[in-house]
Amino acid sequence: MAMRRTVVVGLLLLVGSGIGRADDLSCGRFALAQEKVLHLRYGALPLVVGDRLDYSSGFEQAEEMIATRQDGKQILNVVRSQGDPASFRKEVAIGPEGVELTVRFRLPAYSNDPKKGAIGYAFSVPLKSLEGAHWKAFVGTRSRQTKVVEGEAGSQISGIRYIAFRSDRVRLVLDFNPQGVCAGSDYTSSGEPVTSWSMRRVDDVLEFSFAQRASFYGGVFMSKCLIYEGEYDYDARHAYRLWGYRGETPPTKLFSFGTKQPAKEATAADMTAYSKERGFGWSEPAGLALVERRPTGLVNNALAARDGKEHEFLVDVPAGRWLVTPRTAAVEGSVGPMEVAVDGRRLAEKVVVEGGEVRSITAAVEHRGPGPLRIRFGGGSWAVSSIAVQAVVYAGEDFSLSRGLWNVEGVFTP
């Protein structure tokens, strides 16, 4: 269950249409107008000049507009609880990380219009603000094929999960799948976020949108978009490019010790000293020794502590949730008692591995960063044959374990 934040400071409630224009909410180069219709600026450039929701009379008809300051963010919620027929909640949060837009709406059963095949949301970006911009996008179906494509501002593309624009004036990223390919499915269902959007030119704007079939049985539809200043960096922010419904998920990094010819998916770490350039290694290799029995096979060899002291193996990984699996093969008599800790948290202690036995220790850990993941071995006689680290979710993708989809609680949600 997600841990929810409850501290809210400076709540401002605006109801009705006779409200004067309030000051913009701003952070860094982004500024958000306190209006029911989305208006966003990027420096001196207009970035978003309006949004719409099909099956709705317009965001101008929202019942509530709620501005909140919380956790270093300024947040605007726009709500309509009485459908016409669609009810909706739109939350826009602006902070040091950029802009977080979350939209959720509900079309009741049997309220669809036979002449309208889809219900969807869209926002408009002036094409002039992106004039001369080149884009690079991550697109595709998560379980079959994803790919990176490029083009110029003004072109049309669908299935966008992530897109970055670059020109002399802008360095902008729009992440339409901030939870990554592991979240939900590619299509909305029971309130799960739609994970890909479309981009098309409509007159003098670029329109970014997502839509779903407006079936007679209605439904709850939503999506989330992050907008921030930066370069294309999908792999640095997302743990996976593909996510199969069946089959194994390979480890992000696999290290072998003492194996001269490891499988191609493994990296021979042996007694390598850690360096930032290498991204892995022992903090102090002195006192370690290799036990080499066969040239191949991860459980036929090992690295052992001849000095009986604690040693740390360091791995550079992004902050997030990880599965860490050290494996010990007792190829030179029994090993132990030994203990294993990750980032200061003890995972196992008094582990004894008898001669010829193989023991694996797997634990879920939360690596907060910004330094490397630190895997410590100690307790006396210890050995390690391999270490696997596998990403569960990067910190920036984590809208389910550490926080929820919304920034503010207690607001009507369809």
Side-chain angles (χ1 to χ4, degrees):
M1 181 177 295
M3 297 173 59
R4 306 293 295 180
R5 297 187 292 265
T6 58
V7 178
V8 178
V9 180
L11 184 66
L12 173 64
L13 178 61
L14 307 176
V15 183
S17 58
I19 304 296
R21 181 184 176 94
D23 292 338
D24 289 348
L25 308 180
S26 63
C27 187
R29 298 190 67 188
F30 293 103
L32 171 69
Q34 288 195 55
E35 299 177 358
K36 295 177 180 179
V37 176
L38 182 60
H39 286 92
L40 185 66
R41 297 190 68 83
Y42 170 67
L45 298 174
L47 182 56
V48 177
V49 292
D51 61 347
R52 74 170 196 277
L53 175 61
D54 299 331
Y55 278 84
S56 169
S57 57
F59 287 109
E60 299 91 339
Q61 305 305 315
E63 300 159 354
E64 294 182 316
M65 185 170 71
I66 309 167
T68 309
R69 294 178 183 272
Q70 175 178 317
D71 298 327
K73 298 179 182 179
Q74 301 173 72
I75 307 157
L76 192 67
N77 272 275
V78 179
V79 173
R80 184 177 179 90
S81 60
Q82 303 299 319
D84 59 349
S87 58
F88 58 78
R89 176 183 177 185
K90 176 177 63 175
E91 183 186 77
V92 190
I94 187 166
E97 299 83 11
V99 180
E100 180 183 340
L101 166 68
T102 309
V103 181
R104 178 173 167 131
F105 46 92
R106 176 177 178 267
L107 182 66
Y110 306 105
S111 297
N112 61 315
D113 185 340
K115 294 178 292 185
K116 296 181 180 179
I119 180 170
Y121 170 81
F123 64 79
S124 299
V125 176
L127 192 57
K128 190 170 182 62
S129 296
L130 298 176
E131 187 175 13
H134 178 84
W135 56 259
K136 183 176 182 180
F138 185 76
V139 304
T141 305
R142 70 173 192 153
S143 62
R144 296 180 182 176
Q145 181 183 21
T146 55
K147 59 183 179 179
V148 178
V149 295
E150 301 186 45
E152 306 299 323
S155 54
Q156 179 171 316
I157 187 173
S158 60
I160 309 170
R161 294 180 177 274
Y162 179 102
I163 187 167
F165 291 87
R166 178 68 186 268
S167 73
D168 293 339
R169 296 190 299 170
V170 301
R171 293 172 51 252
L172 284 171
V173 177
L174 286 76
D175 191 343
F176 296 115
N177 182 204
Q179 289 180 276
V181 296
C182 303
S185 64
D186 287 340
Y187 310 102
T188 185
S189 59
S190 302
E192 289 295 319
V194 177
T195 55
S196 59
W197 292 43
S198 295
M199 175 180 69
R200 64 169 184 158
R201 180 174 181 174
V202 181
D203 298 326
D204 58 351
V205 301
L206 274 182
E207 186 177 84
F208 295 89
S209 65
F210 71 92
Q212 189 67 17
R213 181 183 173 189
S215 301
F216 70 90
Y217 48 79
V220 175
F221 314 102
M222 77 170 299
S223 192
K224 182 183 286 287
C225 171
L226 301 184
I227 305 174
Y228 61 91
E229 188 173 33
E231 307 288 345
Y232 182 95
D233 57 354
Y234 180 89
D235 290 329
R237 288 179 171 261
H238 294 287
Y240 295 96
R241 288 185 167 214
L242 285 172
W243 188 259
Y245 293 97
R246 291 175 292 273
E248 296 181 354
T249 302
T252 307
K253 298 177 184 289
L254 176 62
F255 302 99
S256 67
F257 301 92
T259 301
K260 293 182 178 180
Q261 301 173 25
K264 63 180 181 180
E265 63 269 20
T267 298
D270 296 339
M271 294 189 295
T272 301
Y274 172 81
S275 70
K276 192 64 179 176
E277 294 73 24
R278 189 175 292 113
F280 68 89
W282 296 97
S283 59
E284 179 49 69
L288 301 176
L290 298 178
V291 182
E292 300 170 310
R293 296 299 187 202
R294 298 180 186 176
T296 61
L298 293 181
V299 297
N300 294 323
N301 308 280
L303 177 145
R306 297 303 191 196
D307 57 5
K309 296 180 180 179
E310 292 183 347
H311 288 266
E312 280 191 327
F313 188 76
L314 280 57
V315 187
D316 287 339
V317 296
R321 308 265 178 160
W322 292 82
L323 293 179
V324 179
T325 304
R327 177 172 292 173
T328 296
V331 295
E332 194 181 51
S334 63
V335 175
M338 60 180 285
E339 67 176 39
V340 181
V342 176
D343 283 352
R345 174 192 164 198
R346 185 175 295 170
L347 304 185
E349 59 182 334
K350 298 181 180 179
V351 175
V352 176
V353 186
E354 301 294 345
E357 183 183 6
V358 177
R359 179 74 63 87
S360 295
I361 300 169
T362 299
V365 300
E366 182 178 5
H367 177 58
R368 300 182 183 276
L373 187 75
R374 309 180 76 93
I375 307 169
R376 177 172 55 81
F377 298 90
S381 169
W382 62 267
V384 60
S385 297
S386 67
I387 298 174
V389 293
Q390 181 173 345
V392 177
V393 61
Y394 286 177
E397 300 175 300
D398 190 356
F399 294 94
S400 56
L401 298 173
S402 296
R403 59 156 285 188
L405 286 168
W406 302 97
N407 286 276
V408 179
E409 293 182 353
V411 176
F412 168 80
T413 303

